[in-house]
Amino acid sequence: MSTAIEVTQEEGFVLARLNRPTVRNAIDEQMVAELHELCAQLEQEPQILIITGCTVETSKGPRGIFASGADIAQLRERRRDDALRGINSGIFHRIAQLPMPVIAAVDGYALGGGLELALAADFRVATPFAKFGQPEANLGIIAAAGALWRLKNTVGVPLAKEILLAGRILSGEEALEAHLINEVHSPAELLDGAKALAERIAALDPLAVRITKQLMDMPDSAHPSVDNIAQAVLFESQAKFDRMQAFLDRKKENKDENPE
């Protein structure tokens, strides 16, 4: 049976590769269902997640593709009740709420739902050939799966309006300048760049990372009380004692090796 995503367990993270190359990874209900299955697994067994695309053959040779948007053939047939189900917005919200960080590794098109999927990630790395945009208004609909609020929170209102209201498409370099993405890599090094980022996250205390991610989504009114409660939990964790003692030991060793 064909799958819309290929999921592999790597050392320290899970890799999910969007796998509908014949339709440029258009996001259909099968892909949504498989992403829900993956989220259920990661909610039970928290791990860092990397989401990336695949390579498609073109007249100019192989090209990367993240996701060209929602499946228009399916979208064309959806009605009011389908919109109220929040098919895409529901899965993107679930991805954004995963316990551990999510990294989107983007090459080629990340348009419409593709950009909204990337926006649901905590980090985005991309190639110079990436294309980010929200063309929904050209199809008579809105970007209702997160871009209307995540995009302006990420790049600011003026640029978000250019993308949403005037159809501007950003290249990878432009996206880096706008802080839409965190890093730019060549296509050959994109996945390695995402893995290196995952390794930096994995080197931190997992519980501290999980709690930090959750607290960042809290409303301002919840702080600082919620921070104090979370810190109280972490102050009792064995990892806190072990990591701080290791820090003190390294500091002492360095001092002994380099006395003033």
Side-chain angles (χ1 to χ4, degrees):
M1 177 181 177
S2 63
T3 60
I5 59 173
E6 294 179 348
V7 179
T8 56
Q9 177 66 62
E10 306 281 342
E11 186 175 352
F13 64 91
V14 171
L15 175 65
R17 189 182 296 276
L18 308 182
N19 185 41
R20 301 188 72 217
T22 58
V23 289
R24 296 181 180 271
N25 285 338
I27 300 169
D28 67 346
E29 291 208 46
Q30 180 183 350
M31 184 180 288
V32 169
E34 292 179 22
L35 286 170
H36 274 297
E37 290 177 8
L38 177 58
C39 285
Q41 172 190 330
L42 295 175
E43 288 160 357
Q44 292 297 315
E45 301 174 2
Q47 294 188 72
I48 299 163
L49 171 64
I50 297 176
I51 302 175
T52 193
C54 61
T55 301
V56 298
E57 291 296 331
T58 72
S59 59
K60 298 181 179 180
R63 291 289 186 272
I65 184 74
F66 183 70
S68 59
D71 189 306
I72 302 301
Q74 287 190 2
L75 204 60
R76 164 67 176 78
E77 301 306 316
R78 290 180 187 171
R79 307 301 293 268
R80 175 191 61 198
D81 289 346
D82 296 307
L84 294 174
R85 284 168 55 202
I87 297 169
N88 286 1
S89 62
I91 185 55
F92 298 161
H93 179 72
R94 192 173 184 181
I95 289 170
Q97 295 299 310
L98 284 172
M100 290 294 284
V102 179
I103 302 167
V106 180
D107 190 18
Y109 290 121
L111 302 176
L115 176 50
E116 289 176 307
L117 172 57
L119 285 167
D122 300 285
F123 302 94
R124 286 164 291 280
V125 298
T127 74
F129 309 105
K131 300 293 182 184
F132 299 94
Q134 299 289 166
E136 284 85 352
N138 190 48
L139 298 172
I141 57 175
I142 62 172
L148 294 182
W149 51 284
R150 287 196 178 104
L151 191 57
K152 69 178 182 181
N153 290 343
T154 304
V155 303
V157 172
L159 182 54
K161 285 186 175 181
E162 282 192 62
I163 295 168
L164 290 161
L165 303 180
R168 180 174 175 182
I169 295 177
L170 303 184
S171 67
E173 295 291 352
E174 291 172 324
L176 180 66
E177 184 177 353
H179 303 292
L180 176 59
I181 64 174
N182 302 93
E183 301 171 2
V184 169
H185 299 279
S186 69
E189 296 174 343
L190 177 63
L191 197 53
D192 286 341
K195 290 179 179 180
L197 177 55
E199 288 173 358
R200 297 204 301 272
I201 298 168
L204 307 178
D205 175 47
L207 182 59
V209 170
R210 287 181 61 180
I211 290 178
T212 299
K213 178 176 176 176
Q214 290 179 339
L215 294 183
M216 289 183 71
D217 288 334
M218 294 283 185
D220 290 348
S221 59
H223 304 282
S225 297
V226 68
D227 303 341
N228 295 338
I229 295 169
Q231 193 75 300
V233 172
L234 290 167
F235 271 11
E236 297 297 326
S237 73
Q238 188 60 45
K240 172 252 190 178
F241 291 101
D242 293 344
R243 285 172 174 264
M244 288 191 176
Q245 188 60 52
F247 173 85
L248 294 172
D249 291 344
R250 289 194 300 271
K251 185 176 180 181
K252 183 177 184 302
E253 289 174 4
N254 291 335
K255 185 176 182 180
D256 291 342
E257 293 174 359
N258 302 286
E260 294 183 359

